[in-house]
Amino acid sequence: AEKARYPGDPLGQAAVAGVKKGFVVKSVAGKDVRGWDFEDIMDLLEDYVPNPDVQFEDLKKERERAMAFPDPANYTGPRYTNASSLDEAWIKKLIAFQKDGGNLPKKDAYLLVLDTIARLRSETTLMDVVVKPGQTLTVFGDLHGQYFDVMNMLDMTGLPSETKPFLFNGDFVDRGSWSIEVITLLFAMKLKDPDRVYFNRGNHEMLEANIIYGFAGETGSKYDLELFNLFSEAFRNLPLLHLINKEILVVHAGLPGPRPRVWLP
């Protein structure tokens, strides 16, 4: 996935610091690693084995392609152009529109997901969150495309704000019939309040699960499978866990091991 950064490295070796399985590595930064497994060496290098199938590295080109999509005729819902256009009134208008069975136009949905990918790429696998006095962090469990359950929860919590940050702990999609509506709303809230809305990746933010449990089919029905590929890229960039005030660890499924280096598509 890092080949674009190294045009003189067609085999992608630079993305793994030149290390491959079968190589004999004696030391890394002065540390003796002769008895280490390949995966542990890669962890020490703080790098990863690139996957050749990852797409959409050039978000600018994808955005240009989305901008060429035609504008919808007779559309009365909210329009998305960029994150700066989002405010609480826009979020409420989206919710009202979705409750009546509406969805964003294809162009807007593409732009929303592309901007979310860009934002998620700036975050880390482990995110530190500080909940200050006077703030209340709400942690949401599996949503699984149940839009009207999400509405009931928001009726209780209100929308995220300076005093009410949200952490969505994975499994946003699949199984339910409104995964598009749920993930669109969550991504919009994230772009509006990137430092008040947090996401963990769950086992259903994964291509294989989405194909089996419905999100891929729903996306193809409501939009197209190219947008599904963009959602998959967004999911690949999600954090895995959040540490709250250096005291509470929030993770969807648990700690991996003893051989945790499994690539999720």
Side-chain angles (χ1 to χ4, degrees):
E2 293 287 304
K3 290 181 185 177
R5 296 187 184 180
Y6 306 98
D9 181 43
L11 298 180
Q13 293 188 38
V16 290
V19 176
K20 284 188 173 182
K21 287 187 176 181
F23 282 20
V24 176
V25 182
K26 294 182 178 180
S27 67
V28 175
K31 189 172 186 64
D32 188 340
V33 297
R34 283 174 290 185
W36 289 32
D37 289 336
F38 172 78
E39 290 82 359
D40 296 326
I41 293 172
M42 295 310 304
D43 286 334
L44 184 62
L45 290 169
E46 296 183 342
D47 215 322
Y48 61 93
V49 179
N51 173 57
D53 297 324
V54 174
Q55 303 177 35
F56 306 114
E57 292 178 338
D58 192 339
L59 298 186
K60 182 180 178 181
K61 287 184 179 178
E62 286 299 314
R63 187 176 184 89
E64 290 173 353
R65 190 170 74 88
M67 290 297 293
F69 294 159
D71 288 317
N74 303 317
Y75 174 80
T76 59
R79 296 300 308 269
Y80 177 83
T81 54
N82 53 59
S84 63
S85 67
L86 300 180
D87 55 20
E88 187 168 312
W90 192 99
I91 298 293
K92 290 180 177 179
K93 187 175 182 180
L94 175 65
I95 289 173
F97 187 63
Q98 290 177 326
K99 283 182 177 179
D100 286 336
N103 274 307
L104 292 175
K106 177 180 173 179
K107 174 189 287 187
D108 302 39
Y110 268 67
L111 296 176
L112 180 79
V113 179
L114 284 166
D115 287 348
T116 303
I117 293 170
R119 173 64 203 187
L120 292 174
R121 286 181 175 179
S122 72
E123 298 189 349
T124 56
T125 301
L126 169 62
M127 294 285 288
D128 279 298
V129 177
V130 177
V131 180
K132 301 175 182 177
Q135 289 184 320
T136 300
L137 175 67
T138 301
V139 180
F140 294 81
D142 298 17
L143 303 178
H144 277 309
Q146 297 294 348
Y147 184 80
F148 294 95
D149 288 350
V150 175
M151 293 299 100
N152 288 333
M153 288 186 281
L154 292 181
D155 285 343
M156 292 185 285
T157 64
L159 293 173
S161 67
E162 178 67 30
T163 58
K164 295 183 298 183
F166 286 179
L167 170 54
F168 293 95
N169 192 29
D171 282 14
F172 317 131
V173 299
D174 282 336
R175 296 199 170 109
S177 299
W178 302 277
S179 290
I180 281 289
E181 288 80 356
V182 169
I183 196 63
T184 301
L185 175 60
L186 264 58
F187 280 7
M189 290 195 294
K190 174 68 174 177
L191 290 174
K192 175 184 175 294
D193 293 305
D195 298 319
R196 300 171 190 167
V197 176
Y198 307 99
F199 297 147
N200 274 337
R201 189 179 188 181
N203 57 300
H204 280 265
E205 281 67 61
M206 186 174 71
L207 184 147
E208 290 179 348
N210 297 156
I211 291 173
I212 296 170
Y213 292 100
F215 181 54
E218 181 184 337
T219 308
S221 175
K222 294 178 178 177
Y223 291 105
D224 56 39
L225 290 179
E226 289 186 345
L227 181 61
F228 171 69
N229 289 337
L230 278 182
F231 275 118
S232 296
E233 178 66 4
F235 294 162
R236 283 189 283 267
N237 286 275
L238 287 167
L240 296 182
L241 57 171
H242 283 69
L243 184 60
I244 314 301
N245 288 357
K246 303 293 185 182
E247 296 178 347
I248 301 170
L249 186 67
V250 182
V251 60
H252 180 78
L255 297 175
R259 289 180 175 271
R261 205 170 191 86
V262 178
W263 182 81
L264 300 178

